[in-house]
Amino acid sequence: MTQADDLPIVRSARRVLKTEANAILEMVEALPEDFADVVELVLKTKGRVIISGVGKSGHIGRKMSATFASTGTPSYFVHASEASHGDLGMITDDDICLLISNSGETKELSDILLHTRRFNIPMVAISSNISSTLMNAADYKLNLPNLPEACAIGMAPTTSTTLTLALGDALAVSVMEQRGFGSDDFLKNHPGGKLGAQLSRVADLMHKGEKVPTVETDTPMSDVLLSMTSKGFGITGVLENGTLIGVISDGDLRRHMGNLMEKTAGEIATIDPVTITPDLFAAQALALLNEKKISALMVVDDARRPAGIVHIHDLLRAGVA
């Protein structure tokens, strides 16, 4: 079935997406007044950002908490009902609370709300009802635009949850940028999966020591061929006084096939080859291999001494692609 075969479905989908997209654009032009103050509050907090909500707001709250945690801000989601049965003990004086309720009248949040007031724990509220109980009690108010939900009956949380999610992302990223949280920090929180692989360094994946194929400039080609075949990378580095000055690849061998065995490594080598450093991201190394249409790269230190070698298969096996 193509989109043209079922236009009412397509029209419905586009209406929902436009409604929610327009709502976000409206919030861009009317960012909550306390937004910057909340970012500063999070940056100064010694403890965690405790987030709570009920129903769809709770689902969004869990995602917000996970985003904060993965971008350098300790955070924890506390279920509102469980809080009333002992989990209030998870909230300390060093924490701040961020409570989510589109109506601002969610009864299940009342015990957490009262707990923050009793112990002077800073409380941030996200709601579209500025005159609600929750917003009136809050120290910091993140007021959402009060716009129609995208569903046909105007009741299912759609626009409101999208706005809350987007606002949570804006908070987390703003805090992240103010902290100077970078790629290395991100990798510490994402060691597994594709993200971890892409953020790993060449030093984590390269072959080192005796596994690195190298020869001197005056090495006879018979010994060069032995080095290339025994190491299995299809290239060998050519050294002069311990410094990499060139490489020999299968292509270099083919170009000199006529009198190959009469030459030395220095006469055959491609001088000043493309190299990388150990601190380069593995994803960048893969991009360079693809750009140059080669299968292996020599890894050198600041003095262009061989530090290792990385093959495209090593990167693919690690899940960098």
Side-chain angles (χ1 to χ4, degrees), residues 100-139:
I100 307 169
S101 170
N102 189 46
S103 69
E105 301 295 345
T106 304
K107 293 181 180 179
E108 291 89 342
L109 291 174
S110 60
D111 286 339
I112 297 182
L113 189 159
L114 292 172
H115 184 77
T116 66
R117 303 305 81 190
R118 179 182 178 187
F119 293 102
N120 294 317
I121 297 170
M123 193 266 280
V124 181
I126 297 180
S127 174
S128 65
N129 185 359
I130 191 63
S131 61
S132 64
T133 302
L134 179 64
M135 293 292 261
N136 283 328
D139 300 300

Side-chain angles (χ1 to χ4, degrees), residues 25-61:
L25 290 175
E26 185 165 332
M27 187 167 62
V28 169
E29 300 302 323
L31 199 64
E33 186 175 342
D34 288 349
F35 183 88
D37 289 337
V38 172
V39 171
E40 292 294 335
L41 174 68
V42 173
L43 289 168
K44 295 175 183 176
T45 298
K46 296 179 180 179
R48 302 161 299 169
V49 176
I50 303 296
I51 301 178
S52 189
V54 176
K56 305 300 185 296
S57 294
H59 296 313
I60 297 298

Side-chain angles (χ1 to χ4, degrees), residues 63-84:
K63 191 274 178 187
M64 287 172 58
S65 180
T67 301
F68 270 119
S70 71
T71 54
T73 300
S75 182
Y76 192 79
F77 180 84
V78 173
H79 192 285
S81 297
E82 298 296 338
S84 301

Side-chain angles (χ1 to χ4, degrees), residues 268-288:
I268 297 295
T270 295
I271 303 302
D272 194 22
V274 176
T275 60
I276 54 176
T277 55
D279 60 344
L280 193 72
F281 283 119
Q284 292 175 297
L286 181 60
L288 186 58

Side-chain angles (χ1 to χ4, degrees), residues 186-206:
F186 197 76
L187 178 58
K188 294 174 185 176
N189 296 334
H190 299 78
K194 189 177 181 65
L195 280 175
Q198 290 179 328
L199 290 172
S200 60
R201 304 283 183 174
V202 168
D204 301 321
L205 301 174
M206 70 183 187

